[in-house]
Amino acid sequence: MRYKEHKHESETKHSSLFVISFLCVFLCAAALGTLRLYGLYLEHRISETARRIDLCKEENLVLSRRYAQLLSPARVYNYARRDLGMNNAENIKVIKLDERSVRLAQVKEETVEKGGFIENLNPFVKQAHAKN
């Protein structure tokens, strides 16, 4: 009888040890599978981010080219002529003034602004100035 009891006890020990080891192997496999899925998810996010960075670089390049085109001197010159009606000036003359002539012009301007009694009689007519 002892042998049968001993045999029965040893079978239960082996079967419980088998179940525990199977559960450990199953949990390890599940953990590895979960880690692999998480790794694939991270890889997908990295590739998506790299794709977005490439798209932003391309867009930045296109916008840089557009910016350079907008600021090109030829485009600004054409815009000024065509849309704003600006043309090259003809018969340009340069006048150099010394300080004395500038002071004389200021004094004349002050006297004109003060005016006399006769100039101020008519409120509807005033003397024209370059400032007006």
Side-chain angles (χ1 to χ4, degrees), residues 7 56 100 113-114 124:
K7 187 178 177 185
C56 288
R100 183 173 177 218
E113 285 178 1
K114 291 179 185 175
F124 299 109

Side-chain angles (χ1 to χ4, degrees), residues 75-118:
R75 185 188 178 286
V76 173
Y77 181 75
N78 287 335
Y79 177 78
R81 288 189 72 182
R82 183 183 63 240
D83 296 343
L84 301 178
M86 300 173 95
N87 294 321
N88 292 334
E90 296 178 9
N91 299 328
I92 298 174
K93 296 179 182 177
V94 178
I95 300 174
K96 293 184 180 181
L97 300 175
D98 59 350
E99 290 183 33
R100 183 173 177 218
S101 60
V102 172
R103 287 186 193 142
L104 287 174
Q106 289 174 347
V107 169
K108 286 182 182 178
E109 185 177 308
E110 288 175 5
T111 57
V112 169
E113 285 178 1
K114 291 179 185 175
F117 177 72
I118 297 175

Side-chain angles (χ1 to χ4, degrees), residues 21-65:
S21 61
F22 178 76
L23 284 175
C24 288
V25 169
F26 178 75
L27 288 176
C28 289
L32 287 174
T34 304
L35 285 175
R36 180 64 183 143
L37 287 175
Y38 185 66
L40 288 173
Y41 169 72
L42 289 178
E43 186 178 331
H44 171 71
R45 289 205 41 199
I46 289 171
S47 65
E48 184 68 25
T49 304
R51 187 185 64 79
R52 286 178 46 205
I53 288 172
D54 289 339
L55 288 175
C56 288
K57 284 181 181 178
E58 289 175 11
E59 183 180 2
N60 189 21
L61 185 63
V62 168
L63 291 175
S64 295
R65 286 181 186 157

